[in-house]
Amino acid sequence: MKKNRLLFLLPYLLWIGLFVIAPLVLILGYSLTDAHSHLTLQNFAAFFSGGTFLRMMANSFWYALLITFFCLLVSYPAALALTRLKNQQFWLMLIILPTWINLLLKAYAFIGIFSRSGMVNQFLGLFGIGPVGIMFTDFAFIFVATYIEIPFMVMPIYNSLKEIDPALLSASSDLGASFWQTFRYVIWPLSWPGVESGIQAIFIPSLSLFMLTRLIGGNRVITLGTAVEEYFLTTMNWNMGATIGVILIALMLIVMLLTSRKQHKKEIEL
Amino acid sequence: MKKTIWGRVYFGLVLLILYLPIFYLIYFSFSSGSSMDHFRHFTWEHYQTLFADKRLLAILLETIMLALLSSLAATVLGTFGAIAIQRSKEAYRKILLSFNNILIVSPDVIIGASFLILFTALGFSLGFASVLLSHIAFSVPIVVLMVLPKLKEMDNSLIDAAQDLGANNYQVFSQVLLPALTPGILSGFFMALTYSLDDFAVTFFVTGNGFTTLSVEIYSRARQGIDLEVNALSTIIFFFVLLLVGVYYFLTKRQGKKANKLGGLLR
């Protein structure tokens, strides 16, 4: 039986070594060396001394925050409404279905919708508002990113809402709580784990969106993800690209620690 | 129940917004001309160009091939991994799981960039093989996460019983373990398939000049502007997905374990 276990373990360990540990070590190595493979902290110094990089980092963080916030704003009521429908599995399916359409195709659709003579401007034209340049703005970028992430927020929130015992809601209203009171003191706190995993699922990918900044943001919206892509594939300065990557990983770890700590605190409160 | 009505209206609105861009693409795939603003007149022209476009069709086929191959390999590796994790001691199990989850939480750009460094460091040339290996690599952890709960649910005395009855290791594996894990393995496979089909960033980094997937191709076409051939392609993809999801929904509905498995469909 021992030999048997090894048979299952070995390929898996090989995978971890080759595709999890090795890439991490390599990217860290690149960030700590210069073009001639000399050990240096120069890349990090460049990142933290130049205003461009810091502004970029702040930008990415801010955009990711906005995207996550709007996503939550749209998705929470939708998930709540979904729990009160008949045939919930069917409607849930309809929410998930768009995630199966390639991301690039959805982004591409918005190039048409937001163009100067596209649907939105035709609609605005009905009210006499002349064509507005929507493409290549922050608004377009945040809108499309939010659009893409909505299903990933609805799912976890819906799941946590479904786990709430309906008796609690009846109890709350029997005790004279209004809908808002029930929501504030019963539904919202109990659905928090779902909101949390939704935030985790959206915030981290939002930090590194790069094809959207290119297609919809028109190179104007610069995020850390765009910068990594640019340094790796355009300017070929892998050391700097790796440095930005390492900082992105660090940011990601901070976000994960923050959300998991909250979870811990909540357990104590209950 | 006023609230229910407003809830329904709102939910309908969200669905409308979710589907609007997709239907917008489909609508203009039937319009003559070459822009997505005014519907001129009905035509199949873009579908004809699409089916005459050997290059794009080849890319489509290669993308599907890549997805099938990579998810198959990832499913085998991931299932082995899940079994290995389940049979490890508690302390090791936690370590293995954290390593497993690193690729799930990493941003695509980081995965792509670090794999690019890895392949260059190994002297591996970029192309179909590097893309295939990358797709296998980032699909493994999700398969593990799908199979693991099934392993935990499984009654271990079944394995003891089989062994007591004289089954050898292979028989235990193929006739006791695998059948019990099948639902988890299947959802893992499906997830790996979607991961692979949907991936853009990682492929973009590790594909050389010789090999392209659909995502990368659409990206480079979309950067050049609107091309209604892409619309025709999205229409076909949409109906194909609709068919797949319909079949999947029907199958899971029959099995009566809907909620659980539907969750597995996401991402």
Side-chain angles (χ1 to χ4, degrees):
Chain A
M1 208 57 205
K2 192 108 189 162
K3 233 195 303 179
N4 204 354
R5 218 196 84 195
L6 223 58
L7 182 79
F8 290 119
L9 193 59
L10 266 183
Y12 186 64
L13 282 182
L14 201 69
W15 169 78
I16 287 184
L18 199 58
F19 289 105
V20 181
I21 297 174
L24 277 178
V25 170
L26 281 170
I27 202 169
L28 196 66
Y30 262 89
S31 74
L32 290 173
T33 50
D34 62 13
H36 310 289
S37 309
H38 294 306
L39 209 63
T40 172
L41 278 174
Q42 194 192 316
N43 299 315
F44 285 95
F47 187 96
F48 286 107
S49 63
T52 353
F53 286 118
L54 289 178
R55 210 172 314 127
M56 200 188 282
M57 189 165 88
N59 256 347
S60 309
F61 221 79
W62 175 237
Y63 286 130
L65 209 65
L66 282 178
I67 293 164
T68 315
F69 173 73
F70 287 125
C71 229
L72 183 60
L73 204 66
V74 174
S75 307
Y76 199 98
L80 197 60
L82 178 58
T83 57
R84 286 150 198 232
L85 294 177
K86 278 180 213 152
N87 291 325
Q88 287 173 18
Q89 289 308 319
F90 174 75
W91 295 113
L92 190 63
M93 196 83 195
L94 280 188
I95 292 273
I96 298 173
L97 188 67
T99 66
W100 283 42
I101 309 292
N102 197 300
L103 188 68
L104 270 299
L105 288 177
K106 287 181 280 188
Y108 168 74
F110 279 101
I111 298 178
I113 292 173
F114 282 156
S115 70
R116 287 195 86 83
S117 49
M119 191 174 72
V120 174
N121 272 318
Q122 280 174 32
F123 181 73
L124 289 176
L126 295 178
F127 303 100
I129 304 170
V132 190
I134 308 171
M135 274 299 278
F136 308 137
T137 60
D138 295 358
F139 167 79
F141 170 66
I142 290 169
F143 187 93
V144 177
T146 307
Y147 164 82
I148 284 167
E149 304 287 4
I150 283 174
F152 300 111
M153 189 64 118
V154 174
M155 265 304 285
I157 295 178
Y158 169 78
N159 283 338
S160 65
L161 283 173
K162 275 308 271 186
E163 273 170 24
I164 298 177
D165 187 351
L168 286 176
L169 304 184
S170 320
S172 165
S173 68
D174 286 351
L175 292 169
S178 69
F179 172 77
W180 284 111
Q181 283 171 321
T182 309
F183 177 76
R184 166 112 172 59
Y185 296 106
V186 183
I187 301 177
W188 175 259
L190 285 177
S191 64
W192 181 250
V195 174
E196 213 162 55
S197 48
I199 290 174
Q200 271 191 353
I202 289 165
F203 190 84
I204 293 165
S206 301
L207 277 175
S208 68
L209 290 168
F210 82 88
M211 81 301 236
L212 278 189
T213 56
R214 290 258 187 267
L215 289 177
I216 308 286
N219 286 352
R220 226 183 41 79
V221 183
I222 297 286
T223 60
L224 289 180
T226 330
V228 173
E229 187 252 359
E230 205 162 283
Y231 276 106
F232 266 94
L233 300 176
T234 317
T235 51
M236 295 296 211
N237 182 351
W238 286 18
N239 303 99
M240 198 62 221
T243 307
I244 302 170
V246 168
I247 287 165
L248 200 56
I249 295 174
L251 279 178
M252 188 188 91
L253 288 178
I254 292 171
V255 171
M256 281 171 56
L257 279 177
L258 280 179
T259 33
S260 59
R261 198 198 282 158
K262 254 184 224 146
Q263 224 163 20
H264 204 70
K265 208 171 75 191
K266 214 190 75 227
E267 273 165 17
I268 298 165
E269 270 172 18
L270 282 171
Chain B
M1 280 305 272
K2 216 171 150 194
K3 259 164 209 136
T4 329
I5 293 166
W6 282 115
R8 278 182 194 171
V9 170
Y10 180 78
F11 189 76
L13 211 69
V14 171
L15 272 185
L16 185 75
I17 292 173
L18 278 182
Y19 281 89
L20 197 77
I22 297 166
F23 288 138
Y24 193 79
L25 282 182
I26 295 177
Y27 178 64
F28 280 103
S29 74
F30 295 109
S31 164
S32 66
S34 63
S35 68
M36 276 199 273
D37 41 26
H38 293 282
F39 194 88
R40 304 225 158 68
H41 48 81
F42 183 87
T43 175
W44 288 103
E45 177 193 339
H46 305 298
Y47 291 87
Q48 282 160 353
T49 356
L50 174 66
F51 286 117
D53 191 342
K54 291 270 155 34
R55 192 181 120 80
L56 194 60
L57 289 181
I59 291 173
L60 181 66
L61 256 165
E62 280 167 358
T63 308
I64 294 172
M65 268 272 289
L66 173 78
L68 285 174
L69 276 177
S70 68
S71 6
L72 215 61
T75 307
V76 174
L77 248 173
T79 307
F80 275 35
I83 295 172
I85 289 177
Q86 179 69 13
R87 290 188 181 172
S88 301
K89 288 191 195 97
E90 187 66 29
Y92 293 128
R93 199 182 296 173
K94 275 200 180 124
I95 297 171
L96 283 176
L97 262 179
S98 344
F99 275 116
N100 186 65
N101 292 351
I102 286 180
L103 282 187
I104 291 192
V105 294
S106 299
D108 296 352
V109 181
I110 301 295
I111 300 178
S114 58
F115 281 7
L116 175 62
I117 298 180
L118 176 74
F119 286 126
T120 327
L122 293 176
F124 204 89
S125 65
L126 301 180
F128 178 75
S130 62
V131 176
L132 179 66
L133 280 177
S134 308
H135 279 219
I136 295 172
F138 69 62
S139 305
V140 166
I142 192 67
V143 178
V144 171
L145 289 189
M146 292 284 133
V147 177
L148 213 49
K150 294 283 162 226
L151 270 170
K152 282 191 184 136
E153 270 172 28
M154 209 181 117
D155 189 354
N156 271 324
S157 51
L158 281 178
I159 293 180
D160 296 337
Q163 277 166 343
D164 288 349
L165 291 171
N168 61 29
N169 282 338
Y170 174 74
Q171 283 171 322
V172 171
F173 177 73
S174 67
Q175 292 179 21
V176 182
L177 208 50
L178 273 190
L181 301 183
T182 304
I185 293 175
L186 272 184
S187 21
F189 178 74
F190 259 100
M191 294 285 287
L193 212 57
T194 27
Y195 264 47
S196 169
L197 287 174
D198 211 38
D199 176 69
F200 164 72
V202 178
T203 313
F204 192 66
F205 272 90
V206 298
T207 188
N209 292 323
F211 182 73
T212 322
T213 64
L214 206 56
S215 304
V216 177
E217 177 70 11
I218 294 168
Y219 176 73
S220 57
R221 287 193 185 206
R223 287 201 81 178
Q224 283 154 22
I226 284 168
D227 177 356
L228 291 184
E229 201 189 319
V230 175
N231 291 47
L233 183 66
S234 20
T235 309
I236 291 172
I237 293 178
F238 178 73
F239 285 106
F240 183 66
V241 165
L242 207 62
L243 190 78
L244 265 185
V245 170
V247 169
Y248 192 85
Y249 181 67
F250 180 71
L251 285 179
T252 48
K253 206 175 167 107
R254 266 203 342 193
Q255 285 182 2
K257 273 187 175 176
K258 296 171 290 185
N260 231 342
K261 293 202 146 168
L262 211 64
L265 272 181
L266 193 77
R267 246 186 195 169

